[in-house]
Amino acid sequence: MDSADPERVTRFVRQEVGRYLAGHPEDRYPATLVGELARLGALGATVPAEFGGGGWSRRQVAVLGYELGRAWQPLAGLVGTHLKLCRLVLEHGTPEQRGEWLGPMARGAAVFARAYHEQGLGDPAGLRTRAVRRGSVGVLSGRKNWVTNARDADRVLAVARSGASVVGVLVDPGRPGVTVGPDLPRPGMLGVSLAEVTFDDYEFDPEREVLGGWGHDLTGALRRHDVTSYAARAVGSADAVVEHALGFVRATLSERTPEARGAVRLRAGELVTRLAVMRAVWEALLEPAAPEAPFEPAAAAAEAPGRIDSATAKVFCTEALQEIVRAAAVLCGGAGYAAPDGVLGRHYRDALALVIVGAPNDVLLSRLGGQALGVG
Ligand SMILES: Cc1cc2nc3c(=O)[nH]c(=O)nc-3n(C[C@H](O)[C@H](O)[C@H](O)COP(=O)(O)OP(=O)(O)OC[C@H]3O[C@@H](n4cnc5c(N)ncnc54)[C@H](O)[C@@H]3O)c2cc1C
Protein backbone atom coordinates (compact mmCIF):
# COMPACT_ATOMS: atom_id res chain seq x y z
CA MET A 1 0.00 0.00 0.00
CA ASP A 2 1.27 3.47 -0.89
CA SER A 3 1.32 6.12 1.79
CA ALA A 4 -2.23 7.45 1.85
CA ASP A 5 -2.62 10.78 0.11
CA PRO A 6 -6.17 12.13 -0.24
CA GLU A 7 -5.24 14.18 -3.31
CA ARG A 8 -3.84 11.15 -5.13
CA VAL A 9 -7.04 9.30 -4.37
CA THR A 10 -9.07 12.20 -5.74
CA ARG A 11 -6.98 12.25 -8.93
CA PHE A 12 -7.38 8.50 -9.34
CA VAL A 13 -11.16 8.61 -8.82
CA ARG A 14 -11.57 11.54 -11.25
CA GLN A 15 -9.41 9.97 -13.95
CA GLU A 16 -10.13 6.28 -13.69
CA VAL A 17 -13.68 5.57 -12.52
CA GLY A 18 -15.32 7.18 -15.57
CA ARG A 19 -12.83 5.41 -17.84
CA TYR A 20 -13.56 2.10 -16.11
CA LEU A 21 -17.34 2.55 -16.51
CA ALA A 22 -16.93 3.37 -20.20
CA GLY A 23 -15.21 0.03 -20.76
CA HIS A 24 -16.97 -2.36 -18.37
CA PRO A 25 -20.57 -3.43 -17.76
CA GLU A 26 -22.06 -1.42 -14.90
CA ASP A 27 -23.29 -4.56 -13.12
CA ARG A 28 -19.89 -6.26 -12.60
CA TYR A 29 -17.94 -6.08 -9.37
CA PRO A 30 -15.15 -3.50 -9.93
CA ALA A 31 -12.32 -5.56 -8.42
CA THR A 32 -9.60 -3.51 -10.13
CA LEU A 33 -10.98 -0.21 -8.83
CA VAL A 34 -11.36 -1.57 -5.30
CA GLY A 35 -7.81 -2.97 -5.45
CA GLU A 36 -6.38 0.32 -6.65
CA LEU A 37 -8.30 2.34 -4.02
CA ALA A 38 -6.88 -0.03 -1.41
CA ARG A 39 -3.35 0.42 -2.78
CA LEU A 40 -3.77 4.20 -2.59
CA GLY A 41 -4.83 3.96 1.06
CA ALA A 42 -8.48 4.99 0.63
CA LEU A 43 -9.75 1.91 2.49
CA GLY A 44 -7.69 2.89 5.53
CA ALA A 45 -8.77 6.54 5.62
CA THR A 46 -10.48 6.22 9.02
CA VAL A 47 -7.77 4.00 10.53
CA PRO A 48 -5.11 5.83 12.59
CA ALA A 49 -1.52 5.66 11.39
CA GLU A 50 -0.46 3.50 14.38
CA PHE A 51 -2.63 0.71 12.95
CA GLY A 52 -1.41 1.20 9.38
CA GLY A 53 -4.09 3.59 8.13
CA GLY A 54 -4.09 7.15 6.84
CA GLY A 55 -5.76 8.81 9.84
CA TRP A 56 -7.55 11.24 7.55
CA SER A 57 -9.50 14.16 9.01
CA ARG A 58 -13.27 14.15 9.04
CA ARG A 59 -13.27 16.65 6.16
CA GLN A 60 -10.88 14.48 4.09
CA VAL A 61 -13.10 11.43 4.62
CA ALA A 62 -16.15 13.48 3.61
CA VAL A 63 -14.36 14.69 0.48
CA LEU A 64 -13.62 11.06 -0.41
CA GLY A 65 -17.38 10.36 -0.13
CA TYR A 66 -18.04 13.39 -2.34
CA GLU A 67 -15.55 12.22 -4.99
CA LEU A 68 -16.87 8.66 -5.03
CA GLY A 69 -20.47 9.94 -5.16
CA ARG A 70 -19.47 12.13 -8.07
CA ALA A 71 -17.97 9.16 -9.85
CA TRP A 72 -20.09 6.10 -8.99
CA GLN A 73 -22.49 5.63 -6.07
CA PRO A 74 -22.12 1.84 -5.59
CA LEU A 75 -18.36 2.24 -5.13
CA ALA A 76 -19.07 5.04 -2.65
CA GLY A 77 -21.41 2.68 -0.78
CA LEU A 78 -18.82 -0.09 -0.58
CA VAL A 79 -16.01 2.21 0.57
CA GLY A 80 -18.25 4.22 2.92
CA THR A 81 -19.49 1.09 4.68
CA HIS A 82 -15.98 -0.30 5.03
CA LEU A 83 -14.71 3.00 6.49
CA LYS A 84 -17.54 3.11 9.01
CA LEU A 85 -16.71 -0.44 10.05
CA CYS A 86 -13.02 0.46 10.44
CA ARG A 87 -14.13 3.16 12.86
CA LEU A 88 -16.42 0.76 14.70
CA VAL A 89 -13.58 -1.76 15.12
CA LEU A 90 -11.31 1.05 16.33
CA GLU A 91 -13.83 2.36 18.85
CA HIS A 92 -15.35 -0.92 20.02
CA GLY A 93 -12.87 -3.70 19.23
CA THR A 94 -10.76 -5.36 21.92
CA PRO A 95 -7.01 -4.61 21.68
CA GLU A 96 -6.59 -8.05 20.04
CA GLN A 97 -9.31 -7.32 17.47
CA ARG A 98 -7.84 -3.92 16.67
CA GLY A 99 -4.44 -5.57 16.23
CA GLU A 100 -5.84 -8.38 14.11
CA TRP A 101 -8.20 -6.41 11.83
CA LEU A 102 -7.32 -2.75 11.45
CA GLY A 103 -4.10 -3.34 9.48
CA PRO A 104 -5.70 -5.71 6.93
CA MET A 105 -8.80 -3.47 6.74
CA ALA A 106 -6.62 -0.41 6.07
CA ARG A 107 -4.75 -2.27 3.31
CA GLY A 108 -7.96 -3.59 1.78
CA ALA A 109 -6.79 -7.15 2.46
CA ALA A 110 -9.97 -7.56 4.52
CA VAL A 111 -12.95 -5.64 3.13
CA PHE A 112 -15.90 -5.55 5.53
CA ALA A 113 -19.65 -5.42 4.86
CA ARG A 114 -22.39 -4.55 7.33
CA ALA A 115 -25.38 -6.79 7.99
CA TYR A 116 -27.51 -4.70 10.29
CA HIS A 117 -30.85 -3.80 8.81
CA GLU A 118 -33.94 -5.99 8.85
CA GLN A 119 -37.11 -4.97 7.07
CA GLY A 120 -38.96 -2.30 9.11
CA LEU A 121 -36.37 -2.43 11.91
CA GLY A 122 -36.46 1.22 13.00
CA ASP A 123 -34.36 0.82 16.16
CA PRO A 124 -31.67 -1.68 17.28
CA ALA A 125 -34.04 -2.72 20.08
CA GLY A 126 -36.24 -4.37 17.45
CA LEU A 127 -33.58 -6.70 15.99
CA ARG A 128 -34.87 -10.19 15.24
CA THR A 129 -31.47 -11.78 14.53
CA ARG A 130 -30.19 -13.53 17.67
CA ALA A 131 -26.76 -14.42 19.01
CA VAL A 132 -26.68 -16.94 21.87
CA ARG A 133 -23.93 -18.70 23.73
CA ARG A 134 -23.91 -22.45 24.13
CA GLY A 135 -20.95 -23.19 26.37
CA SER A 136 -17.81 -22.13 24.55
CA VAL A 137 -19.60 -21.69 21.21
CA GLY A 138 -21.66 -18.73 19.99
CA VAL A 139 -24.57 -19.32 17.62
CA LEU A 140 -26.06 -16.75 15.25
CA SER A 141 -29.50 -17.06 13.61
CA GLY A 142 -31.49 -14.63 11.54
CA ARG A 143 -31.89 -12.87 8.24
CA LYS A 144 -30.69 -9.54 6.90
CA ASN A 145 -32.61 -8.24 3.91
CA TRP A 146 -30.05 -6.01 2.24
CA VAL A 147 -26.28 -6.30 2.60
CA THR A 148 -24.12 -4.21 0.29
CA ASN A 149 -21.07 -6.10 -0.99
CA ALA A 150 -22.21 -9.33 0.73
CA ARG A 151 -20.86 -11.43 -2.12
CA ASP A 152 -17.31 -10.06 -2.21
CA ALA A 153 -16.67 -9.02 1.39
CA ASP A 154 -14.03 -10.87 3.43
CA ARG A 155 -15.96 -10.34 6.67
CA VAL A 156 -19.53 -9.32 7.46
CA LEU A 157 -20.30 -7.57 10.72
CA ALA A 158 -23.64 -9.12 11.65
CA VAL A 159 -25.58 -7.17 14.25
CA ALA A 160 -27.77 -9.28 16.53
CA ARG A 161 -29.67 -9.15 19.77
CA SER A 162 -28.11 -11.07 22.65
CA GLY A 163 -30.06 -10.81 25.87
CA ALA A 164 -30.24 -7.13 26.80
CA SER A 165 -27.35 -6.22 24.46
CA VAL A 166 -26.93 -5.68 20.75
CA VAL A 167 -23.72 -7.35 19.61
CA GLY A 168 -21.69 -7.35 16.39
CA VAL A 169 -20.45 -10.75 15.24
CA LEU A 170 -17.47 -10.76 12.87
CA VAL A 171 -18.76 -13.35 10.43
CA ASP A 172 -16.61 -15.23 7.94
CA PRO A 173 -18.99 -15.69 4.99
CA GLY A 174 -17.00 -18.72 3.82
CA ARG A 175 -17.89 -20.80 6.89
CA PRO A 176 -20.95 -23.07 7.19
CA GLY A 177 -24.18 -21.44 8.36
CA VAL A 178 -24.05 -18.35 6.11
CA THR A 179 -26.08 -18.07 2.91
CA VAL A 180 -25.69 -15.08 0.63
CA GLY A 181 -28.77 -14.88 -1.60
CA PRO A 182 -28.84 -13.92 -5.26
CA ASP A 183 -28.19 -10.32 -6.23
CA LEU A 184 -31.41 -8.35 -5.68
CA PRO A 185 -32.99 -6.81 -8.79
CA ARG A 186 -32.91 -3.00 -8.57
CA PRO A 187 -32.92 0.06 -10.84
CA GLY A 188 -29.48 1.35 -9.78
CA MET A 189 -26.62 0.84 -7.34
CA LEU A 190 -25.30 -1.91 -9.58
CA GLY A 191 -21.74 -3.25 -9.68
CA VAL A 192 -21.46 -3.93 -5.98
CA SER A 193 -23.61 -6.85 -4.83
CA LEU A 194 -26.74 -6.27 -2.76
CA ALA A 195 -28.19 -9.43 -1.32
CA GLU A 196 -30.11 -11.01 1.50
CA VAL A 197 -27.88 -12.82 4.01
CA THR A 198 -29.17 -15.64 6.21
CA PHE A 199 -27.45 -16.99 9.32
CA ASP A 200 -28.57 -20.49 10.09
CA ASP A 201 -26.97 -21.61 13.39
CA TYR A 202 -23.69 -20.01 12.33
CA GLU A 203 -21.09 -20.95 14.96
CA PHE A 204 -18.49 -18.47 16.18
CA ASP A 205 -16.01 -17.94 18.97
CA PRO A 206 -17.94 -15.69 21.43
CA GLU A 207 -14.81 -14.10 22.91
CA ARG A 208 -12.70 -13.59 19.81
CA GLU A 209 -15.36 -12.97 17.13
CA VAL A 210 -17.74 -10.56 18.87
CA LEU A 211 -16.77 -6.92 18.51
CA GLY A 212 -15.51 -5.78 21.93
CA GLY A 213 -15.97 -9.27 23.38
CA TRP A 214 -19.06 -11.27 24.33
CA GLY A 215 -21.90 -9.03 25.50
CA HIS A 216 -20.32 -5.74 24.37
CA ASP A 217 -23.33 -3.54 23.60
CA LEU A 218 -23.44 -1.53 20.35
CA THR A 219 -26.92 -0.01 20.85
CA GLY A 220 -25.63 3.52 21.52
CA ALA A 221 -23.20 3.44 18.59
CA LEU A 222 -25.93 2.29 16.20
CA ARG A 223 -28.37 4.96 17.39
CA ARG A 224 -25.70 7.66 16.92
CA HIS A 225 -25.17 6.63 13.27
CA ASP A 226 -23.47 9.52 11.45
CA VAL A 227 -25.04 10.16 8.03
CA THR A 228 -22.51 12.77 6.82
CA SER A 229 -21.25 10.47 4.06
CA TYR A 230 -24.67 10.31 2.37
CA ALA A 231 -24.85 14.11 2.19
CA ALA A 232 -21.33 14.12 0.75
CA ARG A 233 -22.27 11.52 -1.86
CA ALA A 234 -25.37 13.51 -2.86
CA VAL A 235 -23.38 16.71 -3.38
CA GLY A 236 -20.81 14.80 -5.46
CA SER A 237 -23.52 13.29 -7.65
CA ALA A 238 -25.25 16.66 -8.08
CA ASP A 239 -21.96 18.27 -9.10
CA ALA A 240 -21.35 15.60 -11.74
CA VAL A 241 -24.90 15.82 -13.05
CA VAL A 242 -24.89 19.61 -13.34
CA GLU A 243 -21.47 19.64 -14.98
CA HIS A 244 -22.62 17.03 -17.48
CA ALA A 245 -25.91 18.78 -18.29
CA LEU A 246 -24.31 22.20 -18.67
CA GLY A 247 -21.65 20.71 -20.95
CA PHE A 248 -24.34 19.20 -23.18
CA VAL A 249 -26.40 22.40 -23.24
CA ARG A 250 -23.37 24.59 -24.01
CA ALA A 251 -22.44 22.35 -26.93
CA THR A 252 -25.96 22.51 -28.40
CA LEU A 253 -27.01 26.08 -27.51
CA SER A 254 -26.18 27.64 -30.88
CA GLU A 255 -28.49 25.18 -32.65
CA ARG A 256 -31.52 26.26 -30.62
CA THR A 257 -34.17 28.87 -31.34
CA PRO A 258 -34.00 32.16 -29.40
CA GLU A 259 -37.07 31.07 -27.44
CA ALA A 260 -35.49 27.73 -26.46
CA ARG A 261 -32.24 29.49 -25.51
CA GLY A 262 -34.14 31.70 -23.05
CA ALA A 263 -35.88 28.73 -21.47
CA VAL A 264 -32.65 26.75 -21.23
CA ARG A 265 -30.87 29.67 -19.54
CA LEU A 266 -33.58 29.81 -16.91
CA ARG A 267 -33.39 26.07 -16.21
CA ALA A 268 -29.59 26.19 -16.09
CA GLY A 269 -29.88 29.03 -13.56
CA GLU A 270 -32.18 26.91 -11.41
CA LEU A 271 -29.74 24.00 -11.50
CA VAL A 272 -26.69 26.00 -10.46
CA THR A 273 -28.68 27.77 -7.72
CA ARG A 274 -29.82 24.47 -6.20
CA LEU A 275 -26.31 23.06 -6.42
CA ALA A 276 -24.79 26.14 -4.75
CA VAL A 277 -27.18 25.78 -1.81
CA MET A 278 -26.41 22.06 -1.49
CA ARG A 279 -22.70 22.84 -1.37
CA ALA A 280 -23.26 25.55 1.23
CA VAL A 281 -25.19 23.11 3.44
CA TRP A 282 -22.42 20.55 3.15
CA GLU A 283 -19.73 23.13 3.94
CA ALA A 284 -21.74 24.26 6.97
CA LEU A 285 -21.88 20.66 8.15
CA LEU A 286 -18.12 20.21 7.96
CA GLU A 287 -16.83 23.62 8.91
CA PRO A 288 -17.34 24.05 12.64
CA ALA A 289 -16.23 20.56 13.68
CA ALA A 290 -12.68 20.02 14.80
CA PRO A 291 -11.19 17.72 12.15
CA GLU A 292 -10.92 14.59 14.27
CA ALA A 293 -13.93 15.18 16.52
CA PRO A 294 -16.39 12.31 16.61
CA PHE A 295 -19.70 13.59 15.37
CA GLU A 296 -22.44 13.89 17.95
CA PRO A 297 -25.37 15.72 16.38
CA ALA A 298 -27.22 16.30 19.66
CA ALA A 299 -24.12 17.57 21.45
CA ALA A 300 -23.18 19.79 18.53
CA ALA A 301 -26.65 21.29 18.44
CA ALA A 302 -26.49 22.00 22.17
CA GLU A 303 -23.11 23.72 21.76
CA ALA A 304 -24.18 25.79 18.76
CA PRO A 305 -27.94 26.05 18.35
CA GLY A 306 -28.97 26.29 14.71
CA ARG A 307 -25.86 24.48 13.54
CA ILE A 308 -26.51 21.97 10.81
CA ASP A 309 -26.22 18.35 11.87
CA SER A 310 -25.64 15.35 9.63
CA ALA A 311 -29.32 14.32 9.60
CA THR A 312 -30.44 17.76 8.40
CA ALA A 313 -27.72 17.84 5.74
CA LYS A 314 -28.49 14.27 4.60
CA VAL A 315 -32.19 15.01 4.16
CA PHE A 316 -31.65 18.33 2.43
CA CYS A 317 -28.88 17.23 0.06
CA THR A 318 -30.35 13.87 -0.95
CA GLU A 319 -33.80 15.45 -1.61
CA ALA A 320 -32.22 18.30 -3.59
CA LEU A 321 -30.36 15.69 -5.64
CA GLN A 322 -33.69 14.14 -6.73
CA GLU A 323 -34.76 17.49 -8.13
CA ILE A 324 -31.39 18.12 -9.75
CA VAL A 325 -31.13 14.78 -11.57
CA ARG A 326 -34.66 15.17 -12.91
CA ALA A 327 -34.20 18.79 -13.97
CA ALA A 328 -30.83 17.99 -15.59
CA ALA A 329 -32.31 15.09 -17.54
CA VAL A 330 -35.22 17.25 -18.75
CA LEU A 331 -32.82 20.04 -19.72
CA CYS A 332 -30.91 17.63 -21.96
CA GLY A 333 -34.09 16.28 -23.60
CA GLY A 334 -33.73 12.87 -25.23
CA ALA A 335 -30.02 12.87 -24.46
CA GLY A 336 -30.90 13.26 -20.78
CA TYR A 337 -32.66 9.93 -20.82
CA ALA A 338 -30.80 7.92 -23.43
CA ALA A 339 -27.21 8.78 -24.38
CA PRO A 340 -24.21 6.63 -25.34
CA ASP A 341 -22.26 7.54 -22.17
CA GLY A 342 -25.25 6.81 -19.88
CA VAL A 343 -23.95 9.23 -17.23
CA LEU A 344 -27.17 11.09 -16.42
CA GLY A 345 -29.21 7.90 -16.49
CA ARG A 346 -26.83 6.23 -14.03
CA HIS A 347 -26.87 9.14 -11.56
CA TYR A 348 -30.66 9.33 -11.94
CA ARG A 349 -31.08 5.64 -11.07
CA ASP A 350 -28.58 5.68 -8.21
CA ALA A 351 -29.91 8.89 -6.62
CA LEU A 352 -33.12 7.40 -5.25
CA ALA A 353 -31.21 4.95 -3.03
CA LEU A 354 -29.71 7.87 -1.11
CA VAL A 355 -33.14 8.87 0.18
CA ILE A 356 -33.56 5.40 1.68
CA VAL A 357 -30.13 4.19 2.83
CA GLY A 358 -28.34 5.17 6.04
CA ALA A 359 -31.66 6.10 7.57
CA PRO A 360 -34.72 6.92 5.44
CA ASN A 361 -35.23 10.66 5.12
CA ASP A 362 -38.73 10.38 6.58
CA VAL A 363 -37.31 8.74 9.70
CA LEU A 364 -34.75 11.52 10.09
CA LEU A 365 -37.39 14.20 9.47
CA SER A 366 -39.66 12.65 12.04
CA ARG A 367 -36.80 12.68 14.59
CA LEU A 368 -35.85 16.26 13.75
CA GLY A 369 -39.49 17.32 14.01
CA GLY A 370 -39.80 15.56 17.35
CA GLN A 371 -36.71 17.38 18.65
CA ALA A 372 -38.06 20.71 17.42
CA LEU A 373 -41.37 20.09 19.15
CA GLY A 374 -39.71 18.73 22.28
CA VAL A 375 -41.60 15.46 21.99
CA GLY A 376 -38.65 13.07 21.80
C1 LIG B 1 -29.11 0.08 -2.10
C2 LIG B 1 -29.27 -0.34 -0.67
C3 LIG B 1 -28.16 -0.74 0.06
C4 LIG B 1 -28.30 -1.17 1.39
N1 LIG B 1 -27.19 -1.64 2.06
C5 LIG B 1 -27.31 -2.07 3.33
C6 LIG B 1 -26.18 -2.64 4.03
O1 LIG B 1 -25.06 -2.75 3.51
N2 LIG B 1 -26.38 -3.08 5.31
C7 LIG B 1 -27.58 -2.97 5.95
O2 LIG B 1 -27.67 -3.38 7.09
N3 LIG B 1 -28.66 -2.46 5.30
C8 LIG B 1 -28.57 -2.01 4.02
N4 LIG B 1 -29.66 -1.50 3.36
C9 LIG B 1 -30.93 -1.42 4.07
C10 LIG B 1 -31.34 0.01 4.41
O3 LIG B 1 -30.54 0.48 5.47
C11 LIG B 1 -32.83 0.02 4.73
O4 LIG B 1 -33.54 -0.35 3.57
C12 LIG B 1 -33.28 1.39 5.22
O5 LIG B 1 -32.73 1.67 6.48
C13 LIG B 1 -34.82 1.45 5.29
O6 LIG B 1 -35.33 0.42 6.08
P1 LIG B 1 -36.59 -0.43 5.57
O7 LIG B 1 -36.34 -0.82 4.17
O8 LIG B 1 -36.84 -1.48 6.56
O9 LIG B 1 -37.76 0.63 5.53
P2 LIG B 1 -38.84 0.90 6.65
O10 LIG B 1 -38.22 1.08 7.99
O11 LIG B 1 -39.91 -0.11 6.50
O12 LIG B 1 -39.37 2.31 6.20
C14 LIG B 1 -40.08 2.48 4.96
C15 LIG B 1 -40.68 3.86 4.97
O13 LIG B 1 -41.65 3.95 6.02
C16 LIG B 1 -41.61 5.24 6.60
N5 LIG B 1 -41.16 5.15 8.00
C17 LIG B 1 -40.75 4.06 8.66
N6 LIG B 1 -40.43 4.35 9.94
C18 LIG B 1 -40.66 5.65 10.10
C19 LIG B 1 -40.50 6.56 11.19
N7 LIG B 1 -40.05 6.16 12.40
N8 LIG B 1 -40.80 7.86 10.99
C20 LIG B 1 -41.23 8.28 9.79
N9 LIG B 1 -41.40 7.49 8.71
C21 LIG B 1 -41.12 6.19 8.85
C22 LIG B 1 -40.63 6.04 5.76
O14 LIG B 1 -41.30 6.68 4.71
C23 LIG B 1 -39.68 4.97 5.23
O15 LIG B 1 -38.99 5.40 4.07
C24 LIG B 1 -29.56 -1.12 2.03
C25 LIG B 1 -30.69 -0.70 1.29
C26 LIG B 1 -30.55 -0.32 -0.04
C27 LIG B 1 -31.78 0.12 -0.80
Side-chain angles (χ1 to χ4, degrees):
M1 185 177 81
D2 292 0
S3 67
D5 172 359
E7 282 174 21
R8 275 187 74 191
V9 175
T10 293
R11 275 199 302 280
F12 170 77
V13 172
R14 291 224 173 182
Q15 284 166 12
E16 297 303 328
V17 178
R19 199 178 296 172
Y20 171 90
L21 283 167
H24 296 79
E26 192 189 330
D27 60 355
R28 299 281 159 77
Y29 181 70
T32 50
L33 290 180
V34 176
E36 195 56 23
L37 284 170
R39 198 182 65 73
L40 291 170
L43 298 191
T46 53
V47 175
E50 61 181 296
F51 292 105
W56 294 11
S57 69
R58 178 166 175 265
R59 171 175 281 276
Q60 287 169 325
V61 174
V63 170
L64 174 62
Y66 162 91
E67 291 295 341
L68 290 169
R70 197 176 193 282
W72 195 20
Q73 289 294 345
L75 194 58
L78 178 152
V79 173
T81 301
H82 176 82
L83 292 180
K84 279 192 187 133
L85 292 172
C86 287
R87 187 159 275 164
L88 210 60
V89 171
L90 178 71
E91 289 170 2
H92 293 271
T94 61
E96 293 74 25
Q97 287 166 342
R98 290 203 289 265
E100 180 178 0
W101 289 112
L102 288 175
M105 288 175 93
R107 291 194 302 278
V111 176
F112 273 46
R114 186 173 87 130
Y116 165 51
H117 207 82
E118 299 165 11
Q119 180 124 39
L121 174 64
D123 186 83
L127 280 163
R128 297 179 287 271
T129 299
R130 290 279 185 269
V132 294
R133 191 168 177 155
R134 292 184 193 144
S136 60
V137 177
V139 179
L140 181 69
S141 313
R143 184 159 54 109
K144 302 292 183 178
N145 302 90
W146 305 274
V147 179
T148 296
N149 200 28
R151 193 157 298 286
D152 299 282
D154 301 288
R155 285 290 181 281
V156 175
L157 184 82
V159 180
R161 175 148 287 285
S162 174
S165 301
V166 168
V167 297
V169 182
L170 298 158
V171 169
D172 177 351
R175 292 209 318 241
V178 188
T179 307
V180 177
D183 219 27
L184 292 164
R186 53 198 185 272
M189 299 300 283
L190 308 172
V192 173
S193 65
L194 180 64
E196 192 171 279
V197 177
T198 310
F199 306 104
D200 192 5
D201 284 347
Y202 172 86
E203 293 190 357
F204 59 91
D205 180 335
E207 295 304 337
R208 227 173 44 81
E209 293 179 315
V210 173
L211 195 61
W214 180 248
H216 180 79
D217 190 19
L218 296 177
T219 306
L222 292 164
R223 286 191 182 139
R224 278 196 309 275
H225 185 52
D226 177 7
V227 288
T228 300
S229 62
Y230 304 99
R233 287 164 58 181
V235 179
S237 177
D239 245 339
V241 162
V242 172
E243 187 182 300
H244 195 84
L246 294 186
F248 175 82
V249 170
R250 248 182 243 116
T252 52
L253 204 57
S254 62
E255 299 154 18
R256 295 179 187 262
T257 63
E259 186 192 6
R261 254 182 258 158
V264 158
R265 278 174 63 157
L266 200 80
R267 293 289 172 228
E270 275 180 357
L271 272 183
V272 293
T273 303
R274 283 205 175 109
L275 178 60
V277 178
M278 277 177 86
R279 283 196 185 137
V281 167
W282 188 51
E283 279 297 328
L285 173 64
L286 295 181
E287 206 46 63
E292 263 74 49
F295 191 59
E296 297 275 359
E303 275 164 30
R307 213 207 90 169
I308 281 184
D309 63 28
S310 76
T312 309
K314 193 255 179 182
V315 172
F316 183 85
C317 292
T318 58
E319 295 292 346
L321 176 63
Q322 311 307 307
E323 294 166 12
I324 282 184
V325 284
R326 186 179 182 281
V330 171
L331 185 60
C332 295
Y337 192 79
D341 59 40
V343 170
L344 282 184
R346 180 163 48 75
H347 280 278
Y348 187 82
R349 287 181 285 106
D350 290 345
L352 181 59
L354 289 180
V355 172
I356 298 167
V357 294
N361 285 2
D362 283 356
V363 172
L364 296 175
L365 281 172
S366 162
R367 253 184 243 157
L368 290 165
Q371 278 169 20
L373 294 169
V375 290

